[in-house]
């Protein structure tokens, strides 16, 4: 019985289920000119083929020049954010089959300067992230012989842990309508991280951070669109973080 | 001024305006038919009724502050730059003051019978 089971599995795996999709890749090089050309490629895919797999397939066999950034291939490093059929997504975390379309268009994320093709410059997001002091702020961080670990109850961890899942992929900033016009806006990524530390019971930097985000291009420039939370691949919900931070600034939360 | 204070004023003026504009509209439709309430004598009488004139003045202030701060927000998000932002901040503040002054002049003159 067990033998037949294995044989059946093998035979089904050998049956080809591959289909063909048209992959349209936006190609541009701002160093040369401001033209964006779309190039189309026919790529075969399986149920489990990701958009990143397909792009790398093109890069390997059809057009070596396609510029794409990736590393982990498992939604952990945050490198492969791009617009896939108009929506910011991680290419390694999006299967072609789930898009339900014969044509898949990949473009660089909006709201960032383009380096080349699908690669954008995330420097500004990393800068605003650093502005939020993304570390524990407290006096006693030096380890002494008497140091003890800082204990938290499960409830205290619950307050911020969701926000600690951010992988800095930048999809949220790319989906944000304020980011599209306000080049000085801190953005949902940074604001969500400000909340991540403010809500951590071990942290003492709340007032410093609240001062930084309470700026004419800070937290108040969010107008509750909620696009950031819709596109976040890690379930961070930056929009909720922003509303929680507003609670502190409006005096609803201590 | 801290942005949070400005936005508290923004939300506060919006809430205040909702209440006062509701009172204003209720006055207009409960006292007499809406058409009659727009007759010259009736409009002037409103201004001469001091508590009502004070309420109109309050609505003027609340919505001028709210509206011009809203405009400031829109303009700050539209374009960035040090001198531009300074111009927007002071320009909106000045326009707000001018509108309030002009509206107050109307309310004051009419309530004092200078028509
Ligand atoms: C009395 C009813 C009103 C309420 C409850 C109200 C409420 C609000 C709120 C909550 C915001 C902030 C929205 C955000 O931050 O995304 C806002 C913005 C704004 N309001 Fe009002 N408002 C009212 C009337 C008015 C009036 C009569 C004007 C025009 C004079 C006005 C002009 C603006 C402008 C220009 C903005 C900025 C646009 C924006 O931030 O989306 N509002 N209003
Ligand atoms: S909040 Fe979500 S979408 Fe934004 S950078 Fe972090 S992981 Fe990416
Ligand atoms: S390659 Fe690391 S998140 Fe996609």
């Amino acid at each position: 019985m067990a033998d037949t089971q294995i044989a059946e599995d093998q035979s089904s795996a050998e049956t080809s289920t591959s289909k063909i999709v048209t992959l349209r890749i936006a190609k541009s090089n701002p160093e040369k000119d401001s033209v964006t050309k779309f190039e189309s490629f026919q790529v075969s895919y399986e149920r489990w083929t990701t958009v990143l797999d397909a792009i790398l397939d093109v890069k390997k066999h059809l057009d070596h020049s396609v510029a794409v950034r990736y590393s982990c291939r498992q939604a952990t490093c945050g490198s492969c954010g791009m617009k896939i059929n108009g929506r910011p997504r991680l290419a390694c975390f999006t299967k072609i089959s789930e898009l339900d379309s014969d044509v898949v268009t990949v473009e660089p994320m909006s709201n960032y300067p383009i380096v080349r093709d699908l690669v954008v410059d995330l420097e500004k997001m990393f800068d605003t992230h650093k502005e939020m002091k993304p570390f524990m702020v407290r006096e006693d961080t030096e380890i002494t012989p008497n140091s003890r670990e800082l204990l938290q109850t499960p409830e205290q961890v619950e307050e911020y842990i969701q926000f600690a899942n951010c992988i800095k992929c930048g999809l949220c900033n790319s989906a944000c309508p304020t980011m599209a016009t306000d080049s000085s806006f801190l953005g949902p990524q940074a604001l969500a991280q400000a909340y991540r530390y403010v809500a951590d019971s071990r942290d003492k930097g709340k007032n410093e951070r609240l001062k930084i985000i309470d700026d004419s291009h800070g937290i108040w420039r969010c107008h509750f669109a909620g696009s950031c939370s819709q596109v976040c691949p890690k379930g961070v919900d930056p929009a909720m973080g922003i509303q929680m931070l507003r609670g502190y600034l409006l005096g609803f939360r201590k | 001024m801290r942005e949070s204070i400005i936005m508290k004023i923004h939300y506060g003026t919006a809430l205040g305006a909702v209440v006062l504009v509701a009172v204003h509209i209720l006055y207009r439709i409960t006292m007499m038919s809406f058409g009659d309430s727009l007759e010259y004598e009736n409009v002037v009488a409103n201004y001469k009724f001091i508590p009502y004139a004070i309420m109109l003045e309050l609505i003027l202030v609340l919505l001028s502050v709210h509206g011009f701060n809203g405009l400031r927000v829109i303009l700050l998000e539209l374009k960035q730059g040090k001198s531009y932002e300074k111009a927007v901040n002071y320009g909106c503040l000045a326009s707000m003051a001018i509108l309030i002054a002009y509206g107050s002049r109307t309310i004051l003159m009419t309530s004092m019978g200078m028509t």
Side-chain angles (χ1 to χ4, degrees):
Chain A
M1 185 61 201
D3 286 348
T4 36
Q5 193 69 46
I6 290 168
E8 268 173 19
D9 278 350
Q10 279 175 345
S11 71
S12 73
E14 277 162 16
T15 314
S16 174
T17 53
S18 75
K19 295 185 199 158
I20 303 286
V21 71
T22 303
L23 186 63
R24 291 175 72 233
I25 302 181
K27 299 200 69 184
S28 65
N29 186 354
E31 274 187 14
K32 272 210 198 124
D33 51 41
S34 57
V35 184
T36 300
K37 272 191 314 194
F38 282 90
E39 283 183 22
S40 295
F41 305 92
Q42 303 293 314
V43 189
S44 77
Y45 70 98
E46 303 286 345
R47 223 176 43 222
W48 51 84
T49 306
T50 65
V51 173
L52 181 63
D53 292 334
I55 295 169
L56 294 179
D57 202 17
V58 167
K59 198 168 161 63
K60 197 166 172 189
H61 300 293
L62 302 170
D63 179 357
H64 306 313
S65 75
V66 174
V68 57
R69 179 168 49 213
Y70 69 101
S71 175
C72 69
R73 302 186 184 214
Q74 52 167 21
T76 303
C77 71
S79 309
C80 67
M82 61 184 70
K83 247 182 346 194
I84 302 176
N85 283 357
R87 188 187 167 97
R89 292 170 177 267
L90 293 179
C92 73
F93 199 50
T94 307
K95 284 180 299 201
I96 292 181
S97 53
E98 83 188 62
L99 293 171
D100 220 7
S101 165
D102 297 331
V103 182
V104 171
T105 304
V106 288
E107 298 164 84
M109 283 194 286
S110 305
N111 304 348
Y112 296 97
I114 297 172
V115 178
R116 193 158 67 78
D117 299 349
L118 303 171
V119 181
V120 295
D121 184 354
L122 297 174
E123 208 55 49
K124 200 194 140 222
M125 178 182 69
F126 297 143
D127 287 346
T128 49
H129 176 76
K130 282 182 202 150
E131 265 180 68
M132 297 304 109
K133 301 181 185 286
F135 42 79
M136 290 298 138
V137 174
R138 50 188 294 145
E139 299 291 323
D140 56 350
T141 43
E142 286 305 313
I143 295 179
T144 64
N146 296 326
S147 290
R148 288 200 50 204
E149 64 273 47
L150 300 163
L151 297 178
Q152 286 186 305
T153 65
E155 289 75 29
Q156 286 171 325
V157 174
E158 209 52 48
E159 288 289 318
Y160 68 86
I161 194 68
Q162 171 185 2
F163 299 89
N165 288 337
C166 174
I167 57 172
K168 290 88 193 164
C169 61
L171 297 189
C172 50
N173 285 10
S174 155
C176 171
T178 302
M179 289 302 278
T181 62
D182 187 345
S183 58
S184 307
F185 181 44
L186 288 172
Q189 191 280 332
L191 291 169
Q193 289 316 292
Y195 181 69
R196 180 252 171 273
Y197 289 93
V198 165
D200 192 319
S201 60
R202 297 165 295 181
D203 181 80
K204 305 279 177 239
K206 183 177 97 188
N207 292 340
E208 282 173 55
R209 291 196 195 86
L210 291 184
K211 219 174 195 166
I212 297 168
I213 62 171
D214 189 4
D215 177 78
S216 62
H217 292 286
I219 185 161
W220 305 102
R221 297 295 83 84
C222 161
H223 304 286
F224 331 106
S227 322
C228 49
S229 301
Q230 285 215 355
V231 301
C232 177
K234 306 301 279 186
V236 169
D237 201 351
M240 181 169 85
I242 292 172
Q243 297 316 313
M244 302 289 240
L245 282 174
R246 278 205 172 138
Y248 290 105
L249 288 165
L250 293 173
F252 298 121
R253 286 166 69 89
K254 283 280 157 292
Chain B
M1 211 190 286
R2 290 218 74 79
E3 196 68 15
S4 53
I5 296 175
I6 299 178
M7 291 312 286
K8 278 179 195 167
I9 294 172
H10 194 74
Y11 299 148
T13 50
L15 284 177
V18 168
V19 174
L20 292 187
V21 171
V23 173
H24 168 61
I25 293 172
L26 282 176
Y27 253 82
R28 295 283 55 75
I29 56 180
T30 54
M31 306 296 271
M32 57 189 85
S33 83
F34 183 66
D36 289 343
S37 82
L38 294 180
E39 290 297 323
Y40 180 80
E41 292 76 23
N42 293 330
V43 173
V44 171
N46 280 329
Y47 282 98
K48 293 201 166 151
F49 179 43
I50 299 301
Y52 195 82
I54 290 172
M55 191 188 76
L56 289 180
E57 176 71 23
L58 276 175
I59 293 177
L60 169 71
V61 172
L62 291 177
L63 284 181
S64 302
V65 169
H66 180 89
F68 277 108
N69 183 51
L71 181 66
R72 180 192 71 101
V73 167
I74 293 173
L75 293 174
L76 287 184
E77 286 177 12
L78 208 58
K79 200 163 122 37
Q80 291 76 46
K82 239 192 163 108
S83 48
Y84 168 78
E85 291 181 27
K86 209 168 172 178
V88 165
N89 285 331
Y90 287 107
C92 285
L93 204 59
S95 311
M96 186 192 300
I98 291 169
L99 184 71
I100 292 176
Y102 182 69
S104 302
R105 173 183 163 275
T106 306
I107 295 174
L108 207 68
M109 282 173 62
T110 318
S111 64
M112 295 196 314
M114 297 158 72
T115 46

